[in-house]
Amino acid sequence: GAGVSQSPSNKVTEKGKDVELRCDPISGHTALYWYRQSLGQGLEFLIYFQGNSAPDKSGLPSDRFSAERTGGSVSTLTIQRTQQEDSAVYLCASSGGDSYNEQFFGPGTRLTVL
Amino acid sequence: GENVEQHPSTLSVQEGDSAVIKCTYSDSASNYFPWYKQELGKRPQLIIDIRSNVGEKKDQRIAVTLNKTAKHFSLHITETQPEDSAVYFCAASDSGGYNKLIFGAGTRLAVHP
């Protein structure tokens, strides 16, 4: 079946502009995660959605970052007034929602802020 | 919240040698410890995981050990091959979040023919 998809694959923007990154999880997966991976670095947790529960936003680095998940499926990560330090690969993952479930990652969106 | 330390950051071995990557975690309530492999330019993929009620798990050339008392777990790769070259990430579940994972910083493994 189809895996996790993300769009766009690459995004180049100017400092100060807003960007929206999209994630389509695996159908039926109740949990969805956003991570940020800077060049050569690890996976930094940003936000986590589980079913209809309030999202865990504890990893969002500033109030310029927000995310939504509509209808329990597609998610959008929005970065307002982008800064150069926001440049990174943004990875989305989904899982079945049960304990210990494998997280399946999307291909990522490479964001470059000029 | 959970904090995961991973070392070494880089590891270089000769083909056929063994490789060991170690991680420590801070939250004694963590109960799930997966390992992900990320090849260059690709997405991370799960290679093996272990739960807190198990001390060791093996899958062909890969094994993971867990010491809950010391709060550390390790990945062992035997008979390494060039295709094992990748970045490996350990992770630990965060007790404050259902199914939430905190990742280590990664280990870049290079296997030389």
Side-chain angles (χ1 to χ4, degrees), chain B residues 13-30:
Chain B
V13 300
Q14 290 297 125
E15 182 177 0
D17 288 351
S18 295
V20 180
I21 301 170
K22 299 182 179 182
C23 289
T24 60
Y25 61 97
S26 61
D27 189 346
S28 57
S30 292

Side-chain angles (χ1 to χ4, degrees), chain A:
Chain A
V4 179
S5 61
Q6 293 185 243
S7 61
S9 55
N10 283 283
K11 177 70 177 179
V12 180
T13 190
E14 294 180 346
K15 178 182 174 181
K17 295 290 180 78
D18 297 352
V19 294
E20 285 189 352
L21 312 179
R22 176 187 170 104
C23 173
D24 282 86
I26 292 172
S27 178
H29 277 189
T30 57
L32 186 148
Y33 314 79
W34 282 98
Y35 297 91
R36 179 169 69 177
Q37 187 172 33
S38 301
L39 187 62
Q41 300 300 308
L43 299 167
E44 177 189 4
F45 168 80
L46 296 178
I47 188 169
Y48 156 51
F49 297 88
Q50 173 59 55
N52 295 320
S53 302
D56 179 342
K57 305 179 181 181
S58 59
L60 295 178
S62 77
D63 59 8
R64 296 186 295 105
F65 288 72
S66 63
E68 292 185 342
R69 188 178 185 193
T70 55
S73 181
V74 172
S75 177
T76 301
L77 177 69
T78 301
I79 308 173
Q80 296 179 310
R81 306 181 301 282
T82 52
Q83 303 295 313
Q84 289 183 333
E85 59 264 29
D86 299 335
S87 296
V89 174
Y90 289 82
L91 289 162
C92 174
S94 71
S95 71
D98 297 330
S99 295
Y100 314 135
N101 265 19
E102 176 179 356
Q103 291 189 20
F104 293 84
F105 283 83
T109 293
R110 182 176 298 279
L111 175 66
T112 303
V113 183
L114 301 176

Side-chain angles (χ1 to χ4, degrees), chain B:
Chain B
E2 177 67 277
N3 182 53
V4 178
E5 302 279 343
Q6 181 172 351
H7 58 95
S9 57
T10 60
L11 181 57
S12 183
V13 300
Q14 290 297 125
E15 182 177 0
D17 288 351
S18 295
V20 180
I21 301 170
K22 299 182 179 182
C23 289
T24 60
Y25 61 97
S26 61
D27 189 346
S28 57
S30 292
N31 54 18
Y32 175 59
F33 308 91
W35 287 86
Y36 284 78
K37 176 183 179 182
Q38 187 176 30
E39 297 178 11
L40 188 62
K42 296 190 176 180
R43 68 192 77 183
Q45 291 191 303
L46 179 73
I47 55 171
I48 195 168
D49 56 16
I50 192 167
R51 304 178 187 182
S52 61
N53 58 344
V54 175
E56 181 175 1
K57 183 177 179 181
K58 292 185 71 173
D59 182 3
Q60 299 183 351
R61 296 185 297 107
I62 294 173
V64 58
T65 59
L66 171 64
N67 183 327
K68 286 221 73 180
T69 302
K71 290 189 283 187
H72 66 70
F73 56 113
S74 301
L75 178 71
H76 304 253
I77 306 174
T78 59
E79 301 172 25
T80 54
Q81 301 168 5
E83 53 264 39
D84 295 329
S85 297
V87 178
Y88 291 81
F89 294 98
C90 65
S93 60
D94 186 314
S95 61
Y98 183 77
N99 212 27
K100 174 181 170 183
L101 296 177
I102 302 300
F103 285 83
T107 296
R108 183 173 300 278
L109 173 64
V111 180
H112 301 285

